[in-house]
């Protein structure tokens, strides 16, 4: 019984973590398109804004997105493993109940 409860808690925790990671990914602004100005009005405009975007922001945005994607996949992998472990624990619990009858 305790192993099933522990496995259920683990699955619940991982589901919550997966939801949080997905929400974080959704909240990251896209840096794929250049803006007409960066910073205070008039500070970075035109080619300077484009160069800053192309040389600095796109690479950082790509790294951030890739990192969050890897994190999401790792949590998803752990969740799938935990769900299988929960299934095994439930099967064992059912077998113990049947054997005890």
């Amino acid at each position: 019984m305790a192993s099933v409860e522990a496995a259920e808690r683990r699955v619940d925790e991982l589901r919550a973590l997966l939801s949080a990671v997905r929400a974080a990914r959704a909240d990251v602004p896209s840096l794929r398109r250049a803006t007409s100005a960066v910073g205070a009005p008039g500070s970075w405009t035109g080619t300077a804004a484009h160069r800053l975007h192309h040389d600095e922001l796109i690479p950082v945005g790509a790294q951030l997105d890739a990192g969050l994607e890897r994190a999401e996949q790792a949590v998803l992998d752990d969740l799938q493993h935990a769900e299988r472990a929960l299934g095994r624990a439930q099967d064992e619990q059912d077998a113990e109940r049947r054997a005890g009858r």
Side-chain angles (χ1 to χ4, degrees):
M1 188 81 121
S3 63
V4 171
E5 291 172 358
E8 287 174 339
R9 274 194 306 278
R10 180 71 176 146
V11 167
D12 290 343
E13 290 168 356
L14 288 168
R15 285 180 179 156
L17 181 58
L18 182 60
S19 178
V21 170
R22 286 180 172 165
R25 278 190 75 191
D27 286 345
V28 172
S30 173
L31 299 175
R32 288 183 180 30
R33 288 191 5 228
T35 184
S36 59
V38 177
S43 58
W44 292 85
T45 60
T47 57
H50 179 75
R51 188 171 46 255
L52 174 67
H53 178 262
H54 185 269
D55 295 346
E56 303 292 331
L57 298 179
I58 287 177
V60 169
Q63 290 173 355
L64 180 59
D65 188 50
L68 286 172
E69 185 176 342
R70 284 190 305 272
E72 181 178 341
Q73 188 59 51
V75 173
L76 185 57
D77 292 345
D78 285 351
L79 175 58
Q80 291 169 344
H81 177 74
E83 288 172 335
R84 287 190 301 272
L86 173 58
R88 286 189 303 272
Q90 290 169 332
D91 290 346
E92 289 173 11
Q93 183 180 36
D94 291 344
E96 289 173 6
R97 285 184 184 155
R98 284 191 301 273
R101 288 188 180 175

